[in-house]
Amino acid sequence: MKPLLYLYLAIFLSAPYAFPAAVQQQTCGSPATVEDACKAVVDTQPAVGYDFCVSSLGAATSLVKPTDLHELAATAAKLAISHATATESKIEELMDLENDATVKSCFNTCLDVYTDATDRLRDALDNLSARLYQKAMAQLDGAMDAADKCEEAFKESKGSFPLASMDKDFSRLASIAHGIIVSIE
Ligand SMILES: *[C@@H]1O[C@H](CO)[C@@H](O)[C@H](O)[C@H]1NC(C)=O
């Protein structure tokens, strides 16, 4: 009994000091690290891949550390936006070099799809900033379709799919933002 009594006494005495710290940890410290956030993301979206999640979010947060999941989600959404605009530029570049009319029209479909995805991602970021998490997730869901729609367009051309890796990364980045918002909810 005695050791237990001392333990209670110790907890009681340290309580005024310990509790403010504990409360702070729960509100601000709930998994805001890239590693914890990525673990939660791959729990619901295994296709993202833990290493991809950590390396992309890690690079994006190396200068300014997000303090909470909300900021981390915004960082992920911004990453997806810049990837989508980079994909748009890449599509325009490849389309200019393309002589085959069928392939050119596939690129054109992808360009439309990515332009729409970029708009949706910007809405998602606005919604996220306003803490309208359900709306933000709905926009991200809509944006994520871009990768599939773009790949689908190329099925008709019967050639290789030149945007495969950019397309795959885009859906993974959008999934990271989505997965982090799920864990805020
Ligand atoms: C939220 O997203 C919608 C699109 O669903 C957009 O029209 C609206 O401007 C956004 N609202 C805010 C406050 O960000």
Side-chain angles (χ1 to χ4, degrees), residues 104-117:
K104 228 180 169 79
S105 100
C106 300
F107 277 124
N108 213 13
T109 303
C110 285
L111 191 58
D112 284 348
V113 155
Y114 269 95
T115 305
D116 179 60

Side-chain angles (χ1 to χ4, degrees), residues 123 126-127 130 132 135 139:
D123 275 345
D126 285 347
N127 289 163
L132 300 170
K135 281 194 166 187
Q139 293 299 324

Side-chain angles (χ1 to χ4, degrees), residues 79-141:
L79 266 182
I81 292 173
S82 56
H83 188 84
T85 50
T87 305
E88 283 179 65
S89 311
K90 186 75 193 171
I91 294 170
E92 283 168 344
E93 195 184 306
L94 293 171
M95 202 158 72
D96 278 349
L97 299 170
E98 188 57 59
N99 294 316
D100 184 306
T102 312
V103 179
K104 228 180 169 79
S105 100
C106 300
F107 277 124
N108 213 13
T109 303
C110 285
L111 191 58
D112 284 348
V113 155
Y114 269 95
T115 305
D116 179 60
T118 310
D119 288 346
R120 283 177 189 267
L121 286 175
R122 293 212 168 100
D123 275 345
L125 187 59
D126 285 347
N127 289 163
L128 184 58
S129 306
R131 297 186 190 259
L132 300 170
Y133 296 126
Q134 293 298 331
K135 281 194 166 187
M137 285 195 283
Q139 293 299 324
L140 282 166
D141 273 336

Side-chain angles (χ1 to χ4, degrees), residues 34 69 82 106 117 136 164 175:
V34 166
L69 283 175
S82 56
C106 300
S175 298

